[in-house]
Amino acid sequence: MKSPARKHYEQVTAAKAAGAASPGEQQRGEQYELHAHALYEARRTLKTIKSVQSKIDKKRELLPEFMPYINGVLSEGNGAKDDVLMTMMVWCIDVGDFEKALEIGAYAVKHSIDTPDQFERDTVSILAEEIAEGVKLQLAKEDHDADALANVMARAVAIIGDADMHDEIKAKVHKYYGYALRAAEDPEGALEQLKQALSLNERIGVKQDIQQLERQIKNAGDKASA
């Protein structure tokens, strides 16, 4: 466990190095090297764990060690290539910390920062698909916060914007944004998102949901006018 003084030092020195780096070049500096090594060791540990849930638990345990560095880069960074930062974006999604993942994602999309090669997808596609999958898992839980998840998807859509990606991925984003809005009792908003999902991918599996929402909205209108 790092002391508050150590965390402050790491954040400040990471911010200084990130601010001095040029966009697109490889991030360097003491803190980057230390955290890149820590990430290498963390990956070695994760490879020894077979259970997916146990891997997630280990990432949740390890993430705080990287946060001072991440916060430093986000505060002053100019968009240097940073595999530590981009890996932590994915880890944050894995553990359900969507807010921090979106903060990193917004920075990465703004500066066109690539993800490490092992992820095999571009940054915006990873952010879009993994956030959607993460929200999907949260919606399946009985104690989920529908309003919070709808806000997560709204931010994801705003960050993604008109970025070029496979229609199937963008359809998935609109699908789970729609499901989150439906859970948050916004049928009109949900219907709009599901229709967008269907327009992008006819096999996205929302046709019955659209019909149900249309009936729900019609019935509510009939009752209001009665």
Side-chain angles (χ1 to χ4, degrees):
M1 183 70 69
K2 295 174 181 176
S3 69
R6 179 67 193 178
K7 291 178 182 178
H8 177 72
Y9 172 76
E10 289 185 1
Q11 182 166 332
V12 169
T13 51
K16 185 176 180 181
S22 299
E25 75 172 14
Q26 177 61 51
Q27 182 63 59
R28 303 189 187 280
E30 174 195 8
Q31 293 306 319
Y32 179 78
E33 298 301 331
L34 286 171
H35 286 83
H37 178 71
L39 178 56
Y40 173 78
E41 294 297 331
R43 284 190 176 127
R44 287 183 62 184
T45 299
L46 288 167
K47 283 181 180 179
T48 68
I49 302 172
K50 295 178 181 177
S51 164
V52 172
Q53 185 57 51
S54 295
K55 283 180 186 286
I56 292 172
D57 292 341
K58 176 56 71 172
K59 288 176 181 178
R60 186 176 288 111
E61 175 189 324
L62 293 169
L63 261 169
E65 298 299 304
F66 292 89
M67 276 304 127
Y69 172 79
I70 297 303
N71 290 332
V73 172
L74 292 177
S75 68
E76 300 291 340
N78 291 319
K81 179 178 171 61
D82 191 326
D83 287 358
V84 175
L85 180 76
M86 299 310 295
T87 301
M88 292 305 113
M89 179 187 80
V90 177
W91 282 22
C92 284
I93 298 172
D94 289 343
V95 305
D97 188 352
F98 301 131
E99 294 301 320
K100 181 58 71 174
L102 288 167
E103 185 181 353
I104 298 171
Y107 171 85
V109 170
K110 176 183 176 182
H111 294 289
S112 302
I113 303 175
D114 293 329
T115 50
D117 291 341
Q118 70 264 24
F119 291 115
E120 299 179 344
R121 286 173 292 168
D122 61 277
T123 296
V124 72
S125 295
I126 288 177
L127 183 67
E129 188 161 25
E130 297 304 321
I131 286 285
E133 287 290 343
V135 167
K136 171 186 175 182
L137 292 174
Q138 292 299 316
L139 284 169
K141 297 180 179 179
E142 290 187 6
D143 60 345
H144 69 261
D145 184 336
D147 289 330
L149 293 174
N151 287 334
V152 165
M153 292 308 303
R155 284 190 62 197
V157 168
I159 292 167
I160 293 162
D162 295 326
D164 182 34
M165 71 181 74
H166 294 298
D167 288 341
E168 290 82 0
I169 296 176
K170 190 166 283 190
K172 187 180 291 186
V173 171
H174 288 295
K175 176 180 180 176
Y176 291 106
Y177 188 11
Y179 284 178
L181 287 170
R182 182 178 64 182
E185 299 182 358
D186 180 359
E188 290 87 357
L191 180 61
E192 179 184 349
Q193 291 302 317
L194 295 186
K195 284 183 174 180
Q196 287 191 54
L198 184 62
S199 71
L200 291 163
N201 180 6
E202 288 190 353
R203 291 187 276 184
I204 193 67
V206 298
K207 290 180 180 178
Q208 289 187 348
D209 297 303
I210 288 173
Q211 292 170 359
Q212 289 171 0
L213 284 166
E214 287 175 338
R215 284 196 297 269
Q216 180 183 341
I217 292 167
K218 182 180 183 300
N219 291 338
D222 289 344
K223 287 181 180 179
S225 60

